[in-house]
Amino acid sequence: MSAITSAIRDFSGALQRDYKSRRVRAVNSLVYFTFRCTSRCKTCNIWKRNAENRAGSELSLAKWNAILENLRNYGIKSMEIFGGDALLRKDLIYDVIRFCSRNGITSYFPTNSLLLDDETARNLVEAGLDTIYFSLDDVGEGNDLIRGQSGTAELVKNAIVSVGRARKNGKPSINVITTISKMNYRDLPDLIRFAENLPVDVIYPRVMEEYSARNIEDSAINGIRPEPYFTSSDSESHLMSETDARAFKKIISKLKREKSRVHVSLDAVDEAGIETFTRGIHRDKRCLVCTNLVTIDPKGNALPCPMYNRYILGNLLEDDLENIWGNKKHREFIRRQRRSEIPICRNCSLRTYYPSFPDNLKRYMRKTVCKLTGK
């Protein structure tokens, strides 16, 4: 994709999000088909909830088909197939992707690769998957330390090769997501070199999220507390020291000057301030998630934010999204968010990936200045 084509796509998407946000219309969906997970990551605690998210309590394919039709009829344009480890639901995942492909819904699929073998790769490709994100935080034992399982980097490597071998006409796009913390920031150049020998299209280093206990407590809405998954699971902080953060900034500057076969998208980590890496505080940006992105849990409940898994707006098996999205309970959440009354928003990076038009414009202006000045 050319730079001009990419820019047109980004600005068009941002304009649509801004317009839909004012009307409180969802454009995208984030669907948890399971909360169960095969990883034991230090920077995510969703796996610690396996006991309360048993396979028997999850919805069947027939029920998910009804929910998918509900989303299509509403006009949802994209779906991120999420977990836990969504490949624990191979009984439905390929059918979901086929549904998206037939109905003009762009599909995105993040995976830890632990259950992704050659057959799975072929099935994902044949179903029509648009983009696959491989979670890889380090190379060798470094990735095992973060992910809490053995041989994980090799499993990711094999999975990438499998999908690369199976894909047709460059589809799905193969991306690597790397969550940056004090445990792995020094090894980002090694990870890039590791990926250069694989059929990877883009590497996305992303800033780790770590939510403060005080912010979680102060973010309750009508007695409903947020329960962010993407934070420490071992009671340790994985944020950097200021020395670490400044050293990582130098690594970013060097990587920006280097040539690589793989495109490395450094925007998220380059734009982040020192306090993002050291305190988990993200720079203020307008958040469109609670108006544009409908989150759906494994029981079919619609949520205004992935961090509030008990703030249920309605159930998509019982009512149309048209009646749920923008209802009274939803607008109360939006009102609180827009008034900056939800402290955990300061610890959240999700808004970065659904930018408003002004934020997108600032990003492109900053990139242009950097190219012109060589910084």
Side-chain angles (χ1 to χ4, degrees), residues 4-47:
I4 294 175
T5 302
S6 178
I8 291 172
R9 182 201 61 185
D10 288 348
F11 281 112
S12 175
L15 278 172
Q16 183 185 48
R17 283 190 292 271
D18 278 350
Y19 174 69
K20 296 286 187 179
S21 179
R22 287 193 294 271
R23 298 181 61 214
V24 190
R25 295 289 297 182
V27 180
N28 313 110
S29 60
L30 175 70
V31 184
Y32 288 88
F33 289 95
T34 182
F35 284 148
R36 293 176 292 135
C37 195
T38 50
S39 290
R40 299 292 182 268
C41 299
K42 289 189 175 183
T43 55
C44 174
N45 65 30
I46 197 168
W47 59 269

Side-chain angles (χ1 to χ4, degrees), residues 211-253:
Y211 294 79
S212 81
R214 176 65 180 271
N215 282 351
I216 291 173
E217 288 297 328
D218 290 348
S219 296
I221 300 177
N222 297 328
I224 302 173
R225 291 170 65 253
E227 299 177 57
Y229 302 114
F230 310 112
T231 190
S232 174
S233 65
D234 60 1
S235 301
E236 301 261 343
S237 173
H238 301 297
L239 294 169
M240 300 180 193
S241 67
E242 185 166 337
T243 300
D244 289 336
R246 297 196 181 282
F248 182 57
K249 283 291 188 178
K250 290 181 180 179
I251 290 172
I252 296 171
S253 296

